[in-house]
Amino acid sequence: MTLQSRLRDVESRLMDACRRSGRAREEIQVIAVTKYVSTAAAEAVVRGGIGHIGENRWPDAKEKWETLQGQAVFHYIGSLQTNKVKDVVGKFDYVHSLDRLSLAEAIQHRASLLDVTLQCFVQVNVSGEQTKHGLEPDQAAAFIRELRAFDRIKPIGLMTMAPYESKPEDTRPIFRSLRQLRDDLNRTTEWDEPLWALSMGMSNDFEIAVEEGATHVRLGTVLVGKEDTEGE
Ligand SMILES: *Cc1c(COP(=O)(O)O)cnc(C)c1O
């Protein structure tokens, strides 16, 4: 499958999911996850009209960022160690994996030095899988309240990863729970600005996530392919 046909295919599947759920296509930002592919492939994605790039490790992202900075918005979607924060802040516009205060402190420190602000998703482990990062859902409210002390961090919403399911439909309760958590947080707490964003949905399950209210879908394999994974 060529990139053009993958882009078209994803677009029509997104439109169908929007139609099924009465949503507008503009409510959903596609993030092309380029971690599996070369810089040239990432450039082709951006030329193809997807202006948002997601990466989960700085060594894999570096060359792409150097090549595409200013042409694409960069999202850091992987788990982030505090000693890697210096690589990310100032380059990435969004972090999707904020899940602990030590990380918030490191981001705040670096962002103040560089005089920038970082938009962040608070990662929540809805599925309860041991292998997944993120806060327990019932820890989210207290954590986000603590983020008020960090003026360089702007929490915009929540992120989660669903377990891989052979029947994508089985992910629906996870995505629905994340949306309900966001709505509960907004109802029960006075934030400076309501949390609006939901980063959820990957290649296997993005249509379900869109039906359940995703505002950002993170698409690797289904959109950009997986050319560089031989030997991994
Ligand atoms: C790799 C990755 C994705 C994309 O995965 P695909 O299944 O290839 O779409 C999305 N989100 C995160 C956090 C990832 O690490």
Side-chain angles (χ1 to χ4, degrees):
M1 232 180 160
T2 65
L3 175 62
Q4 282 314 317
S5 59
R6 281 195 301 265
L7 287 171
R8 266 200 308 274
D9 182 55
V10 164
E11 196 52 45
S12 86
R13 290 170 62 185
L14 278 170
M15 298 279 276
D16 287 344
C18 284
R19 219 168 285 130
R20 285 195 295 275
S21 50
R23 301 188 66 198
R25 171 65 186 85
E26 303 78 63
E27 294 173 29
I28 299 128
Q29 179 62 58
V30 172
I31 301 169
V33 177
T34 52
K35 66 187 186 195
Y36 307 119
V37 301
S38 65
T39 299
E43 283 185 87
V45 167
V46 172
R47 275 199 309 274
I50 308 282
H52 288 246
I53 294 288
E55 282 281 337
N56 65 351
R57 287 180 66 238
W58 173 243
D60 298 334
K62 185 171 185 290
E63 190 185 88
K64 291 162 193 150
W65 182 80
E66 285 165 353
T67 308
L68 289 167
Q69 59 167 303
Q71 298 173 56
V73 174
F74 278 79
H75 296 254
Y76 195 89
I77 61 172
S79 68
L80 183 53
Q81 292 168 263
T82 47
N83 64 354
K84 299 286 166 27
V85 162
K86 62 180 185 324
D87 298 326
V88 169
V89 177
K91 300 189 181 76
F92 287 76
D93 304 275
Y94 296 84
V95 165
H96 290 239
S97 50
L98 182 57
D99 63 357
R100 58 196 192 280
L101 281 179
S102 57
L103 179 58
E105 280 159 10
I107 291 173
Q108 169 75 18
H109 180 71
R110 185 70 182 166
S112 313
L113 283 177
L114 299 178
D115 194 20
V116 296
T117 305
L118 201 60
Q119 313 220 55
C120 291
F121 293 83
V122 170
Q123 185 170 353
V124 181
N125 184 357
V126 178
S127 71
E129 275 185 302
Q130 293 290 317
T131 52
K132 295 271 191 290
H133 292 268
L135 293 157
E136 303 293 317
D138 62 7
Q139 299 172 332
F143 179 73
I144 299 171
R145 269 195 298 275
E146 294 203 74
L147 291 179
R148 286 179 171 146
F150 303 98
D151 65 345
R152 301 294 173 156
I153 294 177
K154 187 168 163 43
I156 62 166
L158 307 177
M159 178 275 215
T160 203
M161 289 177 77
Y164 179 88
E165 300 284 359
S166 52
K167 280 195 299 191
E169 180 61 35
D170 293 346
T171 60
R172 190 179 297 279
I174 305 277
F175 298 140
R176 186 166 293 175
S177 295
L178 195 72
R179 185 188 63 200
Q180 280 167 352
L181 178 60
R182 179 199 62 185
D183 294 346
D184 288 347
L185 291 170
N186 285 332
R187 213 176 9 254
T188 54
T189 315
E190 276 292 314
W191 309 113
D192 295 343
E193 286 174 46
L195 305 167
W196 62 274
L198 291 174
S199 170
M200 58 188 197
M202 304 174 28
S203 291
N204 187 50
D205 51 26
F206 69 96
E207 291 147 298
I208 310 291
V210 166
E211 289 173 21
E212 293 300 328
T215 62
H216 295 70
V217 290
R218 309 178 307 268
L219 303 181
T221 328
V222 75
L223 187 66
V224 298
K226 223 175 173 177
E227 66 185 29
D228 290 344
T229 46
E230 261 85 293
E232 266 189 25

